Amino acid sequence: MAAAASDTGRFRSENQDAAFAASWGAGVADGVGGGPAGDLASAAFLRRLAAAHVDVRDEDDLHERLRGANWDLRAHVVRDPSLEGMATTFTGIVVARGGGILLGHSGDSRAYRLRGGTVTRQTRDDSLVQALVDNGIIAPEDAASHPRRNIVTASLTGDENDRIGVARADAVAGDRWMFCSDGLSDYVAEDRIVATLARPLKPRRAAQELVSIALAARTHDNVTVVVCDVADGEPDAGERPQFYGAAAGLFAEELEDLGELD
């Protein structure tokens, strides 16, 4: 079971976050600020990836699908050069054929996993601030308030050299996965995120609760949260995903017309 919630926030005029949720996978993408058409970048990437999800077998296979979705961004720029420089983050999972979960990640959106009452972060931020923390230049507790916390060191732009990490994780019934844009993680303390995620809420309610907490914390960004629970049995590979944020709204018809969902 998977669901999401997305909000433009009180300080932004458009939602550049996008998300999808289905029995076979889920994820979030965040259009990179400062460049053009971040909303198109996040929406186009997720919709192309969702259209190509069938029969993913291993890490190499998912990497190929992610590369294909990334190349779709370049195709948009070729059609409209004014889009040059658009980019998005991505963090999400796809259920592998034969079992297991494949996690893809680029940028500073995050993945968390709840297992047996313990929540652990499953991704490392591709960001300047994370690099400063890793090198001991700033303390981890200072990262959330650092003035350059929004500078990412990896994102998806359509370039063949873009970095996309892929890893395999075991699928254990009862696990809960959560993916979020930095509109949550930059404004809400991680212990508050962890405590909320561990509450016995259905995925949709948990996602809505985390978005509400970010809004109450006066997030200055769009905020998107996806929550999915691992269950026994095979996912429905033919299920059409639910889209949220930019992927559900402004560009949905345009992307379908361009064949992203064929």
Side-chain angles (χ1 to χ4, degrees):
M1 181 183 296
S6 183
D7 197 286
T8 302
R10 300 187 178 100
F11 300 93
R12 296 294 178 96
S13 60
E14 62 183 12
N15 193 349
Q16 296 197 349
D17 286 359
F20 79 93
S23 62
W24 45 260
V28 63
D30 179 358
V32 176
D39 45 358
L40 175 59
S42 62
F45 182 85
L46 282 192
R47 280 184 167 265
R48 172 55 75 185
L49 178 62
H53 78 276
V54 178
D55 202 30
V56 177
R57 296 177 296 276
D58 54 26
E59 293 93 325
D60 289 341
D61 206 4
L62 177 58
H63 198 269
E64 180 180 346
R65 311 299 172 91
L66 292 168
R67 286 290 180 193
N70 192 35
W71 174 248
D72 197 57
L73 300 186
R74 174 53 48 187
H76 281 283
V77 173
V78 170
R79 287 191 289 262
D80 182 358
S82 70
L83 299 175
E84 183 69 47
M86 73 175 185
T88 184
T89 70
F90 170 72
T91 303
I93 56 173
V94 174
V95 177
R97 179 183 179 185
I101 286 173
L102 299 171
L103 170 67
H105 172 71
S106 182
D108 61 354
S109 297
R110 291 183 180 178
Y112 292 83
R113 185 184 66 192
L114 169 66
R115 172 177 290 176
T118 300
V119 178
T120 55
R121 196 199 305 182
Q122 299 296 305
T123 54
R124 174 193 176 278
D125 292 350
D126 294 313
S127 69
L128 173 63
V129 166
Q130 184 63 59
L132 295 176
V133 171
D134 291 347
N135 287 283
I137 297 172
I138 66 172
E141 57 269 23
D142 294 331
S145 60
H146 195 279
R148 296 186 177 181
R149 65 183 180 275
N150 293 323
I151 298 178
V152 295
T153 56
S155 62
L156 303 169
T157 69
D159 190 281
E160 63 181 11
N161 294 317
D162 289 344
R163 290 191 288 117
I164 311 174
V166 176
R168 178 178 284 272
D170 53 339
V172 176
D175 281 358
R176 167 164 285 188
W177 286 78
M178 187 273 279
F179 312 98
C180 67
S181 63
D182 62 347
L184 174 68
S185 55
D186 275 359
Y187 293 88
V188 178
E190 190 164 72
D191 58 354
R192 181 80 184 279
I193 295 173
V194 167
T196 304
L197 189 60
R199 291 174 58 195
L201 302 171
K202 292 185 180 296
R204 185 174 304 279
R205 185 71 187 94
Q208 292 170 340
E209 181 74 11
L210 286 165
V211 168
S212 295
I213 289 171
L215 294 175
R218 297 182 63 81
T219 179
H220 280 244
D221 206 344
N222 313 136
V223 56
T224 301
V225 177
V226 186
V227 177
C228 51
D229 291 341
V230 179
D232 290 324
E234 293 294 322
D236 178 3
E239 177 190 354
R240 290 177 66 89
Q242 292 292 313
F243 291 103
Y244 304 81
L250 182 61
F251 298 103
E253 292 184 3
E254 291 90 334
L255 291 172
E256 290 189 28
D257 289 342
L258 290 170
E260 267 73 354
L261 297 182
D262 290 346

